[in-house]
Amino acid sequence: MTAAPDPKAELLRLRASIDNIDAALIFMLAERFRATQQVGHLKAEYEMPASDPGREEQQVARLRALAEDAHLDPEFAEKWFNFVVAEVIRHHTEAAEGR
């Protein structure tokens, strides 16, 4: 007969996994913002608008579909995207004002 798992040890193992995932998410977000910063500089240089509603609409649809495939709430994915895009647009606007 196998012994029952130690709940405290299992909790620590799960939390360590969550901590690793959180770290990966932060580094991925940083990489994403480095890429969007380049987009912002390009838009500023060529006097393009900071926001691209058509692109944003396509991205929302794409991310909602990805979320469904990943068994993640599509509403949550859309809220996350909108939060990130608001920050990106703020950065793009600042870049345009600074040119």
Side-chain angles (χ1 to χ4, degrees):
M1 183 178 269
T2 58
D6 175 9
K8 288 184 181 182
E10 181 67 4
L11 182 60
L12 289 174
R13 185 190 69 74
L14 291 168
R15 285 181 174 167
S17 178
I18 290 167
D19 291 350
N20 287 337
I21 293 166
D22 287 346
L25 287 170
I26 293 297
F27 281 94
M28 292 299 295
L29 278 171
E31 185 64 26
R32 188 187 196 287
F33 276 100
R34 280 189 284 279
T36 61
Q37 184 178 34
Q38 292 175 2
V39 169
H41 290 304
L42 183 67
K43 285 181 171 185
E45 183 179 345
Y46 292 96
E47 299 182 3
M48 301 165 85
S51 176
D52 185 343
R55 163 81 173 155
E56 292 161 26
E57 187 177 310
Q58 290 172 345
Q59 285 295 89
V60 165
R62 186 178 78 82
L63 292 175
R64 286 182 69 92
L66 287 170
E68 286 183 23
D69 290 346
H71 305 290
L72 180 69
D73 181 3
E75 287 293 318
F76 173 78
E78 185 172 347
K79 287 177 189 176
W80 170 83
F81 178 73
N82 289 334
F83 176 77
V84 170
V85 166
E87 186 69 8
V88 168
I89 290 170
R90 186 178 72 78
H91 292 173
H92 289 184
T93 301
E94 288 175 358
E97 292 170 352
R99 70 174 138 72

